[in-house]
């Protein structure tokens, strides 16, 4: 099929490349001319494992191309909308990019009025798809579908090719049939429903996963007081088939582009309709305070951080991505610098972006270098190179062998036996 994808950010580019891999002819559209030139030369503007290589392959096979003009997609049978819906100043989703995309689609349809499916993959408030359908009703043979994405940064391409489920919100059998043809060959459960249900499934999924994380972080705080080990507790919980092991890891809070933005957007939506989501409000409260609580644990060991050298390992919000949006590392760096600490930081991908926000920190090119002369080290993002280290060398390099494991990823027992002072999140 001939497909156009509006927006070549994280979701749009992954969607475009994965559809090209399935044999479709894909045109990626973006208003950023510099980004389009970069993509046309086979270079991805985002870091995602495996994406650069596949992008080059699809360009070489002429399965994908890029442009700033949607009018080049006159023959497109399906147009995906994958534009950003960032958090506005009031917490609601900013739909200005979506509105602009719909206007462009209407112009395209006027020039080429063929039967076409508009697929909204952007995360949007409930009711947006129905509103879009009404606004495009003047365009005959144009169907609007809600098809939310469930991509995990760091393994997005794998998720696009092997989705956990395919959610399609539509009001016509023709649109559903086109989506089934588009995604033929993918082995995943289908949920065919209304556009509003599809939109709420996306928000509810992210809100629930965020709730699991915050629940475990509260248990970690309790474990710190009780002397129990939250990693053992979470393992025991996860063996219950009704609970499962996913998203039960305590740490220093969630970040990224989805959980923070989507939870506040869902809260705003509920408030507009006079509904209070008290649990979700608490989820956000716990997440906001978790990095602060973690720094307080450090301050108990080093009451005066002024002039103390602190190594910070990992800056992206999670491994295998360069995304620093809402990353816990940003709050930790701000707190450390406010206390007068000297920060030595390492991240294999995200250091340049963080350096623009915190230019006074020192950024090293190897994880071991961050430990030199450090009075304490903090693991923020569990990159493999930040976890698998030469601990004998590191102990010799540190001023004080004090470790704060914000992801419970360092070998606790081994480090204690080696003479390190070790403190995890909720570990006895």
């Amino acid at each position: 099929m001939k497909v156009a994808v509006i927006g070549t950010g994280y979701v749009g580019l992954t969607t475009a490349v994965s559809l090209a891999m399935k044999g479709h002819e894909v045109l990626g559209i973006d208003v950023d001319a510099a980004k389009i030139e970069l993509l046309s030369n086979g270079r991805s503007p985002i870091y995602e494992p495996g994406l650069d290589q596949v992008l080059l392959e699809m360009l070489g096979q002429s399965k994908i191309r890029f442009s700033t003009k949607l009018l080049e997609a006159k023959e497109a049978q399906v147009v995906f909308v994958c534009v950003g819906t960032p958090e506005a100043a009031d917490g609601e989703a900013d739909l200005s990019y979506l509105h602009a995309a719909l206007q462009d689609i209407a112009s395209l349809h006027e020039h080429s009025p063929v039967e076409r499916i508009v697929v909204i993959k952007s995360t949007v408030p409930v009711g947006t798809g129905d509103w879009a359908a009404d606004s495009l009703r003047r365009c005959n043979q144009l169907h609007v579908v809600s098809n939310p994405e469930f991509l995990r940064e760091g393994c997005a391409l794998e998720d696009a090719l092997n989705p956990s489920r395919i959610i399609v919100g539509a009001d016509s059998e023709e649109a559903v049939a086109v989506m089934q043809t588009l995604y033929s060959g993918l082995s995943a459960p289908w949920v065919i429903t209304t556009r509003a249900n599809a939109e709420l499934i996306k928000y509810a999924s992210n809100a629930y996963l965020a709730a699991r994380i915050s629940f475990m972080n509260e248990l970690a705080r309790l474990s710190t007081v009780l002397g129990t080990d939250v990693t053992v507790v979470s393992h025991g919980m996860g063996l219950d088939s009704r609970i499962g092991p996913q998203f039960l890891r305590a740490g220093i809070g969630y970040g990224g582009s989805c959980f923070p933005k989507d939870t506040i957007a869902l809260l705003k939506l509920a408030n507009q309709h006079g509904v209070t989501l008290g649990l979700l409000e608490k989820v956000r409260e716990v997440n906001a305070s978790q990095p602060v609580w973690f720094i307080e644990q450090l301050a108990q060991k080093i009451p005066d951080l002024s002039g103390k050298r602190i190594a910070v390992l990992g800056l992206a919000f999670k491994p295998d991505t360069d995304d620093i949006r809402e990353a816990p590392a940003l709050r930790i760096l701000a707190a450390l610098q406010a206390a007068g600490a000297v920060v030595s930081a390492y991240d294999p991908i995200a250091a340049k972006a963080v350096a623009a926000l915190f230019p006074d920190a020192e950024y090293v090119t190897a994880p071991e270098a961050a430990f030199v002369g450090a009075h304490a080290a903090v693991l923020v993002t569990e990159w493999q190179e930040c976890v698998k280290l030469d601990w004998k060398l590191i102990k010799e390099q540190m001023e004080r062998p004090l470790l704060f494991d914000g992801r419970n990823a360092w070998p606790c027992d081994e480090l204690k036996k080696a003479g390190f002072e070790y403190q995890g999140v909720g570990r006895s």
Side-chain angles (χ1 to χ4, degrees):
M1 300 181 72
K2 296 183 183 298
V3 179
V5 179
I6 302 177
T8 58
Y10 175 75
V11 173
L13 183 55
T14 303
T15 298
V17 170
S18 64
L19 288 171
M21 293 176 70
K22 299 298 292 182
H24 301 294
E25 296 180 32
V26 182
L27 175 64
I29 306 293
D30 204 290
V31 296
D32 188 336
K35 183 186 290 186
I36 291 301
E37 182 178 1
L38 195 70
L39 289 166
S40 298
N41 290 322
R43 295 170 58 195
S44 170
I46 61 172
Y47 177 80
E48 180 65 33
L51 191 57
D52 276 336
Q53 179 182 348
V54 177
L55 173 61
L56 278 170
E57 291 175 2
M58 293 302 101
L59 284 167
Q61 297 175 22
S62 299
K63 286 295 183 181
I64 194 169
R65 61 190 180 91
F66 299 93
S67 174
T68 57
K69 300 176 181 178
L70 182 59
L71 289 178
E72 292 186 20
K74 291 180 179 179
E75 298 180 0
Q77 301 154 277
V78 181
V79 179
F80 278 88
V81 179
C82 301
V83 296
T85 55
E87 182 182 331
D90 60 359
E92 295 183 17
D94 180 356
L95 300 181
S96 58
Y97 299 113
L98 176 74
H99 294 166
L102 293 177
Q103 290 176 2
D104 290 343
I105 291 171
S107 298
L108 169 68
H109 205 66
E110 289 175 2
H111 284 81
S112 178
V114 299
E115 186 159 10
R116 184 175 284 122
I117 309 297
V118 177
V119 183
I120 299 178
K121 194 167 273 292
S122 302
T123 301
V124 295
V126 177
T128 302
D130 290 343
W131 173 86
D134 288 339
S135 68
L136 295 173
R137 198 169 298 282
R138 69 183 186 279
C139 302
N140 295 325
Q141 296 182 301
L142 202 60
H143 307 276
V144 176
V145 168
S146 175
N147 175 222
E149 53 84 19
F150 300 96
L151 305 178
R152 298 168 297 168
E153 294 191 45
C155 48
L157 200 56
E158 176 188 344
D159 288 345
L161 296 171
N162 301 284
S164 59
R165 71 276 209 198
I166 299 173
I167 310 295
V168 172
D171 60 3
S172 72
E173 294 181 359
E174 295 89 345
V176 172
V178 170
M179 296 300 292
Q180 289 173 329
T181 300
L182 185 75
Y183 287 140
S184 63
L186 295 181
S187 179
W190 280 68
V191 176
I192 299 173
T193 182
T194 65
R195 287 184 287 257
N197 280 346
E199 291 161 347
L200 187 54
I201 287 170
K202 169 63 176 182
Y203 274 117
S205 297
N206 280 353
Y208 177 66
L209 294 176
R212 286 171 69 103
I213 294 172
S214 286
F215 177 72
M216 293 312 300
N217 283 337
E218 283 207 306
L219 279 187
R221 299 183 194 185
L222 179 61
S223 286
T224 299
V225 176
L226 298 178
T228 53
D229 190 333
V230 76
T231 63
V232 177
V233 173
S234 65
H235 175 67
M237 291 170 60
L239 294 175
D240 189 326
S241 61
R242 298 168 299 175
I243 298 175
Q246 299 298 319
F247 288 82
L248 290 184
R249 288 183 60 193
I252 49 177
Y254 58 76
S257 63
C258 294
F259 288 5
K261 173 177 69 73
D262 292 353
T263 50
I264 189 62
L266 186 55
L267 282 171
K268 285 288 183 179
L269 178 67
N271 289 338
Q272 289 171 2
H273 293 273
V275 177
T276 300
L277 301 181
L279 177 59
L280 194 55
E281 290 175 352
K282 184 63 177 178
V283 166
R284 286 184 55 82
E285 177 186 323
V286 171
N287 192 66
S289 63
Q290 189 67 6
V292 178
W293 172 85
F294 188 69
I295 289 295
E296 288 173 351
Q297 308 308 301
L298 173 60
Q300 289 180 15
K301 295 285 187 178
I302 309 177
D304 182 9
L305 287 167
S306 179
K308 299 297 191 300
R309 179 173 290 273
I310 308 298
V312 176
L313 284 301
L315 300 170
F317 93 94
K318 64 178 290 189
D320 295 323
T321 181
D322 59 351
D323 196 345
I324 64 168
R325 287 173 290 183
E326 300 290 337
L330 303 184
R331 292 184 180 180
I332 288 174
L333 287 178
L336 289 173
Q337 291 196 338
V342 178
V343 175
S344 178
Y346 169 80
D347 189 285
I349 301 295
K352 184 177 180 180
V354 175
L357 301 175
F358 296 91
D360 293 336
E362 298 177 9
Y363 298 90
V364 296
T365 57
E368 291 82 3
F371 291 89
V372 176
H375 297 85
V378 179
L379 178 64
V380 180
T381 311
E382 65 276 32
W383 291 93
Q384 281 301 297
E385 49 264 70
C386 295
V387 174
K388 297 181 178 179
L389 296 163
D390 183 345
W391 293 110
K392 182 180 179 181
L393 171 64
I394 285 170
K395 188 180 179 186
E396 294 173 352
Q397 292 177 329
M398 295 185 73
E399 181 71 21
R400 177 181 175 183
L402 176 57
L403 304 177
F404 284 82
D405 186 353
R407 297 298 180 184
N408 290 340
W410 281 337
C412 172
D413 294 337
E414 174 187 333
L415 292 171
K416 288 180 178 178
K417 290 178 181 178
F420 284 93
E421 299 175 70
Y422 173 93
Q423 185 162 339
V425 179
R427 303 191 73 174
S428 58

